[in-house]
Amino acid sequence: MPHRLLTLALPCALALAACERQPEPPPPAPAASSSAPVLTRQSIDSAGFEAAPASGSQARSAGLARAQVLLDRARFSPGVVDGLGGENTRQAILAFQEANELNATGELDQATFDRLVSGDSQPALTDHVLTTEDVAGPFVDAIPEDMEGKAELETLAYTSPQEALAERFHMDQDFLTELNPNARFVAGETITVAAVSPQELPQAVARIEIDKADKSLRAFAENGDLLAYYPASIGSAEMPSLSGSMTVRAVAPRPNYTYDPSRLTNAEGDETLIIQPGPNNPIGAVWIDLSKDTYGIHGTPEPSEIGKTFSSGCVRLTNWNARQLANSVEPGVEVVFL
């Protein structure tokens, strides 16, 4: 049953620069293999167990793509569905294994794949007929890198229908394009997308646990049942996240963002700026305000970077996970940092 959102008209001080992204330098990615097979809807929906690709591999796995969608539908979010895996997928597999009393290694094995499939026999991919609304925008040409450029935009909208659709279906944008190589992304066209989880959780969230070591957020029902597992970016060495218990104070869809360089150690410029709402806003599509001033749980404009970058104290989720959580929390819900 849907739960009420407390809509908050954000004052400039709510979404503060305490949540500015802090990059963690990634290792260089290996070049994509030209001999890697191109995945299709048939190969993914019929895929059996496959060992996960080697760390850093750019060869997508049909079996892993299917497992990622099934994990997403079981509410053990792997972050973006991309057929590549990585740490977020490993952590989602580990959480699923622990919850199902399987050998908890974080590696996709035959027993884990069989449990996923036995609990959900529906196809991993589905058709989506593009509507006028899907392709109408508004879109922006590009999102500036600097805060001054962002502050000049009237909205931090998506840059294309492909970006909007990839986020809607929890997919890596390149993977969406590869599954639809001939698509023009115009109204009336049928494309292939991931058949991902519904936006609503099955029950109201009564407690949230944020595990700083595992870079994860777990949402629990009143009876203690685990409702959802999400990968997260949580704090940094310079600006660690919170500790102890607090509560949800409010939920704000489409928040604006106040960039306050006085709160940052590596700020650009010295002017306080207001960044307008939109999914590419620095705090994403939704803000869950906590009872500690300037701290919250929020979305991101870069879903593939969750768990790979630091935040400046707040808890960052993909936009779709942040929306799903926000739809099931109300003021007063307990939030515990572990």
Side-chain angles (χ1 to χ4, degrees), residues 175-193:
F175 189 33
L176 174 68
T177 302
E178 287 175 25
L179 285 174
N180 299 279
N182 300 315
R184 296 176 297 136
F185 293 94
V186 295
E189 190 174 36
T190 299
I191 61 171
T192 296
V193 297

Side-chain angles (χ1 to χ4, degrees), residues 23-77:
E24 179 180 6
S33 169
S34 59
S35 61
V38 176
L39 300 190
T40 64
R41 178 172 180 172
Q42 181 179 4
S43 69
I44 293 171
D45 279 342
S46 63
F49 166 68
E50 299 174 10
S55 177
S57 170
Q58 296 302 293
R60 302 189 197 274
S61 160
L64 185 59
R66 185 182 181 192
Q68 286 178 320
V69 175
L70 297 182
L71 284 164
D72 183 280
R73 290 208 298 248
R75 300 188 302 279
F76 291 87
S77 173

Side-chain angles (χ1 to χ4, degrees), residues 23-229:
E24 179 180 6
S33 169
S34 59
S35 61
V38 176
L39 300 190
T40 64
R41 178 172 180 172
Q42 181 179 4
S43 69
I44 293 171
D45 279 342
S46 63
F49 166 68
E50 299 174 10
S55 177
S57 170
Q58 296 302 293
R60 302 189 197 274
S61 160
L64 185 59
R66 185 182 181 192
Q68 286 178 320
V69 175
L70 297 182
L71 284 164
D72 183 280
R73 290 208 298 248
R75 300 188 302 279
F76 291 87
S77 173
V80 294
V81 172
D82 59 6
L84 296 174
E87 185 61 19
N88 289 341
T89 297
R90 193 193 74 80
Q91 292 280 29
I93 291 170
L94 180 63
F96 179 84
Q97 290 167 333
E98 290 172 343
N100 287 273
E101 299 181 344
L102 297 167
N103 184 26
T105 63
E107 301 299 325
L108 184 63
D109 54 27
Q110 186 72 62
T112 304
F113 188 87
D114 289 348
R115 183 66 61 87
L116 283 166
V117 172
S118 67
D120 184 347
S121 61
Q122 296 301 307
L125 302 180
T126 190
D127 287 338
H128 176 70
V129 179
L130 294 173
T131 66
T132 301
E133 291 76 15
D134 287 334
V135 299
F139 301 112
V140 296
D141 291 335
I143 302 297
E145 290 291 330
D146 62 293
M147 288 295 171
E148 287 188 356
K150 289 182 172 71
E152 292 175 359
L153 296 180
E154 294 182 1
T155 177
L156 275 289
Y158 295 115
T159 57
S160 66
Q162 291 92 320
E163 183 186 16
L165 290 160
E167 182 160 295
R168 177 175 173 182
F169 295 104
H170 309 181
M171 300 174 72
D172 173 71
Q173 188 173 328
D174 289 341
F175 189 33
L176 174 68
T177 302
E178 287 175 25
L179 285 174
N180 299 279
N182 300 315
R184 296 176 297 136
F185 293 94
V186 295
E189 190 174 36
T190 299
I191 61 171
T192 296
V193 297
V196 291
S197 62
Q199 193 165 347
E200 301 289 345
L201 294 176
Q203 299 179 54
V205 173
R207 176 183 170 90
I208 294 169
E209 290 184 359
I210 296 165
D211 191 321
K212 292 182 280 189
D214 287 346
K215 298 181 182 178
S216 66
L217 182 152
R218 288 172 169 84
F220 295 90
E222 184 67 38
N223 64 1
D225 286 350
L226 178 64
L227 295 175
Y229 167 93

Side-chain angles (χ1 to χ4, degrees), residues 147-148 259-264 266-273:
M147 288 295 171
E148 287 188 356
Y259 176 74
D260 183 353
S262 69
R263 293 178 174 271
L264 297 172
N266 297 309
E268 52 180 71
D270 54 10
E271 182 183 359
T272 297
L273 302 168

